[in-house]
Amino acid sequence: MFSLQTIFGKGDKFYGLLEASAEAARESARAMHELVTQTDRTPVMAAFSTARAREKALHGQIGEELVNTFVTALDREDIEALNSALYKIPKTIEKFAERYVIVGDRLHGIDFGQRAALLERSADVVVAMIGQLRHGLKIDPVKKLRDQLQALESEADRLLLDPYRTLYAEGSDPLKAILAKDLFELVEKAVDKCRDVGNVVYSIVLKNS
């Protein structure tokens, strides 16, 4: 006979899978930071592709485990929501990377490093929040981390608007301005996806507190 501890132990595997998924999202954010701050992009894109492939595999594995596992550590709908929200972080970063590799040579003088660093910090908070799930769903530490994500998201909004005055008002190349705007918005969207993960974690903790 299977003990209750054995059954619930199988459910606990979702903590590890979600933590691995959050780490893969952080790896994508780190790769993006390197992409916009290093001149040799080839090795960076290879690292980025590896992180993205890992995230896709984990997303599929979590879905399969939900089908095959009778008892889960968290409610199934919460695991599904987290799985979906985490998946969207590297997916959005991938869109940025693909476009940046194509048009980056036309964007000399435009700094993406500060925004990429902010995204990396957001991904760090996501990893910390997902890690809190296995520690008793305590609301205070999760709320502090969520507040950090909210502050980072507000900073991303500010940075999104900051360069437009120079790009548009000072007669810059219109195409350069359009390309930069598209990439700035993707970085801001990736930060928003990190915030979305934080909101899901916070709602789970509130529900179980």
Side-chain angles (χ1 to χ4, degrees):
M1 294 180 62
F2 290 100
S3 67
L4 287 177
Q5 184 177 5
T6 300
I7 294 174
F8 280 94
K10 291 182 178 179
D12 288 345
K13 65 189 168 188
F14 286 102
Y15 291 134
L17 289 171
L18 290 168
E19 287 164 358
S21 184
E23 183 59 44
R26 177 162 64 178
E27 288 175 8
S28 290
R30 286 175 176 169
M32 192 187 103
H33 190 199
E34 292 177 1
L35 178 66
V36 301
T37 56
Q38 296 183 12
T39 56
D40 185 0
R41 299 170 189 164
T42 302
V44 175
M45 285 304 296
F48 176 85
S49 298
T50 299
R52 181 72 175 111
R54 182 184 172 202
E55 179 66 38
K56 287 181 178 179
L58 286 163
H59 180 265
Q61 185 179 355
I62 291 171
E64 290 178 5
E65 293 291 352
L66 280 171
V67 173
N68 297 324
T69 304
F70 178 69
V71 175
T72 58
L74 303 169
D75 289 345
R76 290 176 182 273
E77 61 268 22
D78 291 335
I79 295 173
E80 290 172 347
L82 281 175
N83 192 28
S84 176
L86 286 166
Y87 181 78
K88 291 175 183 176
I89 298 173
K91 183 178 180 181
T92 304
I93 296 172
E94 182 178 43
K95 290 180 181 179
F96 174 94
E98 290 172 345
R99 297 179 192 182
Y100 183 82
V101 168
I102 295 172
V103 304
D105 291 339
R106 304 196 61 161
L107 299 174
H108 290 298
I110 297 180
D111 178 26
F112 291 93
Q114 184 180 8
R115 293 161 183 81
L118 190 147
L119 173 59
E120 189 174 353
R121 286 166 57 199
S122 299
D124 287 340
V125 178
V126 165
V127 170
M129 289 192 79
I130 295 295
Q132 284 292 324
L133 290 173
R134 67 162 74 240
H135 297 302
L137 301 176
K138 299 176 182 177
I139 192 168
D140 286 343
V142 170
K143 184 179 184 302
K144 288 179 181 178
L145 290 168
R146 177 175 174 264
D147 290 345
Q148 290 180 34
L149 274 182
Q150 296 284 6
L152 289 167
E153 193 268 339
S154 295
E155 178 66 8
D157 287 342
R158 186 191 68 78
L159 288 176
L160 178 65
L161 298 174
D162 188 57
Y164 290 168
R165 185 179 300 106
T166 301
L167 286 171
Y168 289 106
E170 296 182 0
S172 299
D173 177 2
L175 178 58
K176 181 179 181 180
I178 291 171
L179 294 173
K181 179 177 182 293
D182 177 56
L183 291 172
F184 285 145
E185 289 177 349
L186 280 172
V187 179
E188 196 268 342
K189 185 177 180 181
V191 175
D192 285 348
K193 298 305 179 185
C194 291
R195 178 208 57 199
D196 291 345
V197 173
N199 287 340
V200 174
V201 173
Y202 187 65
S203 68
I204 292 171
V205 174
L206 279 179
K207 184 173 70 173
N208 290 278
S209 62

